[in-house]
Amino acid sequence: MRTWIRTLRPFDVLAAQAVIERTTDLREAERFIRLYHAENSSAGGLHARLRDVARDVARYGTYTHTYEELEFGAQVAWRNSNRCIGRLYWRSLKVRDRRQVSTAEGVALECVAHLRDATASGKIRPTVTVLPPDTPALRGPRLLNDQLVRYAGYRTSEGVVGDPRNVALTETARALGWRGRGGRFDVLPLIVQPAIGDPLLCNVPGDAVLEVPLVHPDYAWFEELGLRWHAVPAISDMCLEIGGICYPCAPFNGWYMGTEIGARNLADSDRYDQLPVVAERLGLDTSTERTLWRDHALVELNVAVLHSFERAGVTVTDHHTESRRFLTHLSKEEKAGRVCPADWSWIVPPLSGSATPVFHRYYDNSVLTPAFVHHGR
């Protein structure tokens, strides 16, 4: 059942400004239109389109992308994402054009629909939902959540229950009327900031969030740890910039690489910090680092993640396979005469980095557009 919780007081710090004193950069617009036509030979007349764009920017301070331009721009933004190792399938990104949705309720509904579409009964589909852009007259809507699915973090006298990363977001949601259950894996509500007005809380329906309970193929006790993770990593706090236009609410997802869950979300000491727990159950000597107990526990935690997702029929990839796929993508981009930007510190997996082929080379870390970028909210 869907539950709406309308805020009762102004949210001054995060209130949207109705007017943006900024027009679209015509040079960025022209650069994108030329790129689109260069890579799409059936796109039609380049010069006519450039004239139309220049006219609209002169009249209105902005212009409107065709669906084809929007789809191409979103796909290329993924292609240009220098921190993403999984770009081989950038052309497969499904683009949901929801630029006509303007209300906070409509934005929340589309985010929930995004989760359902992208989940696809476990066969995760790379998807982006594009909501209204910023214009000179009005800001587009925004989400305060950095992902569509996040687990709450509750401060208690004995420490944080849940995900410490999300303590601030949890406290914001509670200040706006949300009441969590106090558990380790409570899904936080979406917080939508419309162009004008107060934020809206939307509880995410349980049937829109596919979760995978974690078990281990060799250790029956692992199930007793009560660990789980959600299936769709949908980023929701980045602006999609295409040709000088900013779409501030454009949640997008691929699928998980196992180490994102097993070597970071569940293992980092400032997240769920499960390495000491797993090590104790394995009977490892944790009195000295020389026993490499962290490494042993980390491997078993990642084995559990990959095994559990596969058993549940949910798309996931391992870091060795994805590293090889990335080098295939890099080779294809170079053959196409394009730069493939990559940030080494993000591309190299957080587990067994030197055992993967992406470790042993340098990359061009250029910043290209279109792009997904972080802006102040």
Side-chain angles (χ1 to χ4, degrees):
M1 182 177 66
R2 183 177 302 112
T3 303
W4 303 109
I5 309 176
R6 172 62 76 176
T7 59
L8 300 177
R9 61 183 180 79
F11 198 65
D12 296 332
V13 175
L14 296 169
Q17 298 298 318
V19 177
I20 300 175
E21 295 179 358
R22 174 180 177 271
T23 60
T24 296
D25 186 333
L26 186 57
R27 294 168 299 178
E28 287 294 322
E30 180 175 317
R31 186 178 298 116
F32 169 69
I33 296 300
R34 289 186 182 278
L35 176 66
Y36 170 70
H37 281 257
E39 296 193 27
N40 295 273
S41 57
S42 62
L46 168 62
H47 297 293
R49 180 58 176 148
L50 289 174
R51 285 196 301 270
D52 289 346
V53 169
R55 179 200 62 212
D56 287 351
V57 172
R59 288 180 178 176
Y60 311 117
T62 189
Y63 68 105
T64 301
H65 291 126
T66 66
Y67 173 76
E68 292 75 18
E69 290 167 352
L70 181 71
E71 179 181 50
F72 173 76
Q75 291 172 346
V76 173
W78 186 15
R79 186 176 83 190
N80 289 337
S81 296
N82 62 352
R83 292 182 171 184
C84 178
I85 195 174
R87 287 176 271 167
L88 178 60
Y89 306 108
W90 64 273
R91 290 185 184 275
S92 72
L93 182 66
K94 177 183 177 182
V95 179
R96 303 175 71 246
D97 182 2
R98 298 298 186 268
R99 289 175 289 177
Q100 78 284 3
V101 175
S102 58
T103 66
E105 290 84 354
V107 170
L109 286 170
E110 288 301 336
C111 289
V112 171
H114 176 114
L115 285 173
R116 291 195 171 107
D117 285 357
T119 300
S121 300
K123 306 303 180 185
I124 309 301
R125 298 171 181 160
T127 303
V128 61
T129 296
V130 184
L131 290 142
D134 286 338
T135 72
L138 196 67
R139 280 165 57 105
R142 284 157 167 76
L143 283 173
L144 273 61
N145 312 64
D146 65 330
Q147 291 194 23
L148 295 185
V149 181
R150 277 300 196 194
Y151 294 123
Y154 305 95
R155 294 186 195 275
T156 73
S157 59
E158 298 180 356
V160 174
V161 174
D163 193 342
R165 178 190 180 105
N166 302 319
V167 166
L169 183 62
T170 301
E171 292 178 349
T172 297
R174 297 179 81 173
L176 295 175
W178 180 69
R179 294 293 176 263
R181 298 188 304 272
R184 297 170 73 199
F185 296 98
D186 295 349
V187 175
L188 283 163
L190 299 174
I191 307 179
V192 183
Q193 175 63 66
I196 300 175
D198 296 336
L200 173 73
L201 288 182
C202 171
N203 288 328
V204 182
D207 65 349
V209 181
L210 177 60
E211 294 180 284
V212 179
L214 300 187
V215 297
H216 195 284
D218 300 319
Y219 302 112
W221 53 259
F222 198 96
E223 186 174 4
E224 299 170 8
L225 301 181
L227 302 177
R228 62 177 53 240
W229 207 258
H230 56 91
V232 180
I235 307 299
S236 55
D237 67 341
M238 298 184 79
C239 170
L240 172 58
E241 286 194 347
I242 303 174
I245 294 179
C246 173
Y247 297 95
C249 189
F252 66 97
N253 71 275
W255 50 71
Y256 270 117
M257 186 166 72
T259 52
E260 296 177 79
I261 303 169
R264 299 302 311 276
N265 299 340
L266 294 176
D268 283 356
S269 59
D270 59 351
R271 298 293 299 282
Y272 279 85
D273 194 22
Q274 290 299 295
L275 294 187
V277 177
V278 173
E280 181 181 3
R281 296 301 295 265
L282 287 168
L284 302 179
D285 178 4
T286 61
S287 65
T288 172
E289 299 293 352
R290 294 180 67 85
T291 63
L292 302 184
W293 64 269
R294 297 182 196 276
D295 307 70
H296 189 166
L298 189 62
V299 168
E300 298 303 341
L301 186 52
N302 279 269
V303 167
V305 169
L306 293 174
H307 169 75
S308 301
F309 270 65
E310 183 176 9
R311 190 181 77 155
V314 176
T315 305
V316 71
T317 186
D318 67 87
H319 50 292
H320 296 285
T321 299
E322 208 58 46
S323 294
R324 291 193 297 271
R325 287 175 178 169
F326 178 74
L327 292 186
T328 298
H329 167 69
L330 182 66
S331 177
K332 286 185 175 183
E333 290 300 293
E334 290 173 344
K335 287 179 181 178
R338 294 191 290 258
V339 171
C340 179
D343 183 336
W344 188 94
S345 66
W346 280 74
I347 295 299
V348 174
L351 174 65
S352 305
S354 63
T356 63
V358 294
F359 179 89
H360 302 281
R361 59 163 295 162
Y362 295 102
Y363 302 96
D364 186 328
N365 197 19
S366 301
V367 177
L368 304 179
T369 57
F372 289 100
V373 299
H374 278 112
H375 289 315
R377 306 309 285 171

